[in-house]
Amino acid sequence: MSASSASADLSSAKTVPFTQEQINSIRKTHPTPFYIYDEAAIRANVRRLNEAFSWCPGFREYFAVKATPNPRILQILMEEGCGGDCSSLGELLLCERVGMTGEKVMFTSNNTLAKDYKKARELDAVINLDDLTHVDYLHDNVGTPELICFRYNPGPLREGNVIIGKPEEAKFGFTREQLFTGYRQAMEKGAKRFGLHTMVASNELNPEFFVETAVMLFELAVDLHKELGIRLEFVNLGGGMGIPYRPGELALDFEVVGSGVKAAYDRLIGGTDLDPLTIYLENGRIITGPYGYLVTEVVHAKNTYKNYVGVDACMANLMRPGMYGSYHHMSILGKEDAPLDLTADVVGSLCENNDKFAIDRKLPHVGRGDVMVIHDAGAHGHSMGFQYNAKLRSAELLLREDGEVELIRRAETMDDYFATLNI
Ligand SMILES: *Cc1c(COP(=O)(O)O)cnc(C)c1O
């Protein structure tokens, strides 16, 4: 299949890209739980995004590294033209390891440490400041780069969405007034090229939201030009494009976002002194989320006041359901078409009652040894893992385009756990 010509299937049929036999053969060498990512689907998806913005010269998606901080995934995305969006020294190092440097790296941090700025400067990354006081902090610690970007927090001027909350409650970014001061100060310190950034959405499925964000930044670009005489090189609309975690939800249509942003561009920027103005995005979730699966085995079924299905993964492998109450769809391999006549909580083995992948989920009858696939775990899944209860982080596998399975992160071992202890 030619990925670039594949049109988007916006319905979220919760299917899996592997067979039960394939998984059983993988389990011989890689015991559950493990993550597996679908390379072909990741590539096809990024191509659709790039296509939707192909009208915009210089368009770039900076993949939010924190979503899936695996060098092999970064390499694939880099091959598809993506940059990397980092917020820490470690994430910068991950990008550097795969050869992503210079303006292919966006450094969008907050409450930033000088050593992190130092690395960002070394890589010649695009530095996106989170606060007015960082203009001096950056200058005094590592010098002011020629290209500088600021993160705008519209506060009460923008509603934000349900998940990210109200912008005025968020710790991120400059106020509008601070922005004008910031660009002035940066110019005095030698900055010559400028960008503008915002991030006001999380898991947002409404394409209009992103068009409104573009309008907000285009209008601000015009005001900055009028008042300070600066011509922005780019606006970065941030990440936050949502995915349909629940079956029946519709995926965000890149086409609709791309053409909506284009219409706003033509109205506000096209043909003015600000044209051309490049557009950047920095999504994580929508890039890899739907294409990563957590594979786990059912080890127990318990019946007390409720039914419980116990699996060999736990919240340390995927924290979103326990932390945010997020829905993640589940398939039992080989029982995809069985009637859903069991209602159960799906649980891990942490000594915490929120260690649940699902509450009151309708499932087929499952038993010990069944393989459960947890969907939409490709972003903010493995990366949020932790070691509470001396649990270990799982392996990550890549289902390659050629059908081979590649280990792209081995599972942690007890030796890893003990490595930092002084006994
Ligand atoms: C987390 C984050 C992103 C990516 O968010 P997604 O919801 O994964 O798209 C982008 N930019 C910044 C600054 C972030 O903190």
Side-chain angles (χ1 to χ4, degrees):
M1 179 175 70
S2 151
S4 57
S5 66
S7 64
D9 175 14
L10 299 178
S11 71
S12 45
K14 298 293 176 188
T15 55
V16 295
F18 35 72
T19 62
Q20 189 177 6
E21 294 68 47
Q22 245 175 322
I23 291 293
N24 283 336
S25 120
I26 293 168
R27 288 168 69 204
K28 289 183 191 137
T29 33
H30 306 293
T32 52
F34 57 79
Y35 273 80
I36 185 162
Y37 304 97
D38 180 354
E39 177 182 4
I42 290 173
R43 287 185 186 272
N45 181 54
V46 173
R47 286 174 198 175
R48 282 194 297 268
L49 175 62
N50 286 335
E51 184 61 34
F53 281 90
S54 58
W55 57 270
C56 173
F59 169 79
R60 182 177 283 153
E61 152 70 18
Y62 287 87
F63 176 65
V65 172
K66 69 169 189 243
T68 322
N70 188 300
R72 190 70 172 87
I73 300 289
L74 295 181
Q75 184 198 19
I76 289 167
L77 293 172
M78 190 169 70
E79 284 169 12
E80 298 298 338
C82 295
D85 168 48
C86 302
S87 67
S88 69
L89 175 61
E91 290 175 358
L92 288 167
L93 292 170
L94 282 168
C95 285
E96 185 181 32
R97 283 297 175 93
V98 297
M100 229 188 237
T101 58
E103 290 177 22
K104 287 198 149 183
V105 178
M106 179 81 54
F107 187 56
T108 301
S109 58
N110 71 94
N111 191 26
T112 316
L113 306 176
K115 66 175 167 60
D116 293 33
Y117 276 139
K118 182 161 179 282
K119 188 70 205 176
R121 282 286 270 140
E122 271 169 34
L123 293 184
D124 274 324
V126 182
I127 297 184
N128 183 18
L129 299 188
D130 181 70
D131 185 55
L132 181 57
T133 63
H134 289 218
V135 177
D136 278 337
Y137 185 76
L138 181 73
H139 189 78
D140 296 345
N141 281 286
V142 297
T144 299
E146 191 182 83
L147 171 61
I148 194 98
C149 180
F150 298 139
R151 178 173 187 163
Y152 174 45
N153 179 334
L157 300 176
R158 196 77 199 280
E159 270 183 12
N161 73 357
V162 200
I163 293 131
I164 209 166
K166 294 181 175 172
E168 68 264 40
E169 307 280 346
K171 68 170 176 167
F172 308 110
F174 288 57
T175 67
R176 188 182 158 96
E177 268 166 83
Q178 287 172 341
L179 269 186
F180 287 80
T181 312
Y183 285 109
R184 235 182 239 115
Q185 289 182 357
M187 274 191 279
E188 281 161 16
K189 294 183 189 315
K192 295 193 166 52
R193 301 169 53 207
F194 304 94
L196 173 64
H197 166 276
T198 199
M199 168 91 187
V200 285
S202 181
N203 197 29
E204 178 60 58
L205 285 167
N206 179 2
E208 260 323 294
F209 198 93
F210 299 95
V211 178
E212 284 167 25
T213 298
V215 167
M216 177 180 84
L217 294 188
F218 292 156
E219 288 176 345
L220 193 46
V222 170
D223 293 347
L224 284 164
H225 184 241
K226 267 192 208 132
E227 208 162 308
L228 303 177
I230 61 170
R231 250 202 86 236
L232 294 180
E233 277 187 25
F234 67 83
V235 291
N236 181 338
L237 312 184
M241 288 184 177
I243 60 174
Y245 285 101
R246 288 172 188 272
E249 281 179 332
L250 280 192
L252 194 66
D253 191 337
F254 290 145
E255 270 300 311
V256 176
V257 180
S259 59
V261 172
K262 181 175 190 306
Y265 186 96
D266 291 345
R267 185 162 58 83
L268 296 163
I269 304 292
T272 73
D273 286 346
L274 288 172
D275 191 15
L277 173 64
T278 295
I279 292 165
Y280 294 154
L281 298 175
E282 53 180 35
N283 290 289
R285 187 187 316 272
I286 204 169
I287 304 298
T288 50
Y291 316 112
Y293 305 82
L294 174 56
V295 179
T296 182
E297 182 180 317
V298 174
V299 281
H300 292 290
K302 168 172 175 164
N303 176 239
T304 51
Y305 306 101
K306 295 185 85 170
N307 293 317
Y308 296 96
V309 170
V311 295
D312 64 0
C314 68
M315 188 183 168
N317 303 112
L318 176 66
M319 153 147 109
R320 298 187 71 259
M323 181 155 139
Y324 306 117
S326 318
Y327 181 94
H328 278 264
H329 198 69
M330 292 157 174
S331 300
I332 309 293
L333 293 186
K335 298 189 177 175
E336 288 84 353
D337 300 321
L340 306 179
D341 46 15
L342 173 70
T343 301
D345 289 8
V346 177
V347 303
S349 52
L350 294 190
C351 303
E352 295 289 333
N353 197 40
N354 62 345
D355 179 22
K356 294 182 178 177
F357 292 113
I359 294 174
D360 296 330
R361 183 67 56 90
K362 296 250 184 288
L363 295 168
H365 267 284
V366 291
R368 188 168 288 153
D370 277 337
V371 174
M372 177 182 285
V373 176
I374 302 182
H375 294 253
D376 301 307
H380 311 292
H382 189 283
S383 62
M384 289 179 126
F386 53 94
Q387 289 184 325
Y388 185 64
N389 268 168
K391 291 291 181 181
L392 303 173
R393 278 174 283 244
S394 80
E396 294 182 292
L397 307 174
L398 181 69
L399 176 61
R400 292 200 317 225
E401 278 187 307
D402 65 7
E404 294 295 311
V405 171
E406 181 183 330
L407 180 67
I408 60 172
R409 185 196 300 269
R410 68 161 172 82
E412 287 178 345
T413 64
M414 275 299 158
D415 284 343
D416 294 322
Y417 185 79
F418 278 92
T420 54
L421 297 170
N422 196 356
I423 303 178

